[in-house]
Amino acid sequence: MILKLNVTLHYRLSEPMDLLLQIEAADLADQRVRSTEIWTSDVAHFSRVTADDGIGERIWIHAEGDFSCTYLAEIAVDRPALDISALSQTPLHLLPGETIRHLMPSHYCPSEQFHAFVDAEFGNLAGGARIAAMRDWIESAFSYVPGSSHAQTTALDSFAQRQGVCRDFAHVLVTLARASSIPARFVSVYAPDVTPQDFHAVAEVYLEGSWHLIDPTGMASADTMARIGVGSDASSVAFLTSFGSMELVNQSVSVTRQP
């Protein structure tokens, strides 16, 4: 599948400041970047650094006044939509070192508080079957309500309120997976069927020796997503982090399938 991406950002900065941008789809074995272009308004500094887990890049920018950016790309996604329920859990003592931090609680994913819940609700299931049941439970039990959460909302808050947006759904699934001793990380992606179109957040779990994308909102399947970046939770995968105050002027994200 070929995805065509068209992203524009326009922000007004209150003072000269540093920005950390992560909007480019990563070039990986299961998603190849066929073409890419990125332009920004005049900036004093522009440099690339490797992102978390070696997936994708971040861009350091120093700018002032109005900051704008346009990103265009074509991504060839070559990834099957597997039946996650058929995958087995990797024994803890066989997990590779780079997955271990994704077993641990993080700021937005306090998994240590969910052990009793996952044992009571999903204790009869293991591995991918448990993950699939958790995904289905979140999709059915939670309401997708734009504006119902904010930047400080944790998985515990979303669990109590039973509502949120993609960020919150992903945090809950990551949290429940970690509470089940299954490595899980937060992933920012592009996907064509997301409504309304925007940067999208999903989870990725480690089963049978590899990572697998899962969308608890039900809006995207693994074979239609292009990863931007991964991290422990939303704090490490923001599309734009400002080290100062700024005002949104305009932002748009378009993801379309190409014939």
Side-chain angles (χ1 to χ4, degrees):
M1 173 181 294
I2 307 299
L3 297 181
K4 186 172 183 179
L5 314 178
N6 187 332
V7 179
T8 62
L9 307 175
H10 185 185
Y11 284 82
R12 185 157 296 129
L13 312 182
S14 61
E15 59 185 344
M17 70 180 65
D18 294 313
L19 306 171
L20 193 57
L21 184 67
Q22 190 171 6
I23 64 171
E24 296 170 296
D27 190 25
L28 304 166
D30 59 358
Q31 56 178 67
R32 305 307 305 188
V33 177
R34 292 176 31 140
S35 66
T36 182
E37 298 177 87
I38 188 166
W39 305 281
T40 70
S41 52
D42 288 338
V43 298
H45 179 82
F46 182 107
S47 64
R48 296 178 178 275
V49 293
T50 303
D52 282 10
D53 288 3
I55 294 180
E57 292 182 324
R58 295 187 176 107
I59 301 172
W60 273 120
I61 290 169
H62 187 79
E64 61 181 296
D66 274 24
F67 169 73
S68 60
C69 176
T70 299
Y71 167 57
L72 306 175
E74 285 191 3
I75 312 297
V77 178
D78 183 16
R79 182 188 310 116
L82 299 176
D83 177 7
I84 200 77
S85 66
L87 301 179
S88 60
Q89 184 170 344
T90 303
L92 289 175
H93 64 278
L94 296 180
L95 286 172
E98 64 270 17
T99 68
I100 293 173
R101 75 184 183 97
H102 297 299
L103 282 171
M104 309 304 177
S106 61
H107 178 73
Y108 292 111
C109 300
S111 51
E112 76 281 5
Q113 301 184 49
F114 284 83
H115 294 298
F117 173 77
V118 297
D119 287 344
E121 198 71 24
F122 307 105
N124 62 320
L125 300 168
R130 179 180 284 208
I131 294 295
M134 291 171 173
R135 173 202 61 201
D136 295 346
W137 176 78
I138 295 169
E139 186 178 348
S140 63
F142 283 57
S143 299
Y144 194 95
V145 183
S148 61
S149 61
H150 50 77
Q152 300 308 314
T153 299
T154 69
L156 186 59
D157 299 324
S158 302
F159 179 83
Q161 296 163 5
R162 294 292 199 274
Q163 62 182 10
V165 293
C166 60
R167 168 191 183 276
D168 309 302
F169 283 51
H171 276 156
V172 173
L173 183 54
V174 167
T175 300
L176 298 183
R178 291 178 186 168
S180 302
S181 298
I182 296 173
R185 59 192 185 187
F186 185 94
V187 191
S188 60
V189 303
Y190 292 111
D193 298 322
V194 171
T195 304
Q197 289 251 302
D198 205 344
F199 299 103
H200 193 47
V202 300
E204 199 166 32
V205 298
Y206 192 84
L207 295 167
E208 287 196 12
S210 60
W211 290 101
H212 301 276
L213 290 161
I214 305 173
D215 183 5
T217 72
M219 287 193 284
S221 59
D223 58 336
T224 66
M225 301 184 209
R227 295 184 199 86
I228 303 169
V230 305
S232 294
D233 54 35
S235 63
S236 54
V237 204
F239 70 89
L240 180 62
T241 302
S242 66
F243 295 83
S245 61
M246 63 182 185
E247 175 190 355
L248 171 66
V249 178
N250 181 58
Q251 177 177 303
S252 66
V253 175
S254 172
V255 185
T256 57
R257 292 178 175 85
Q258 293 296 100

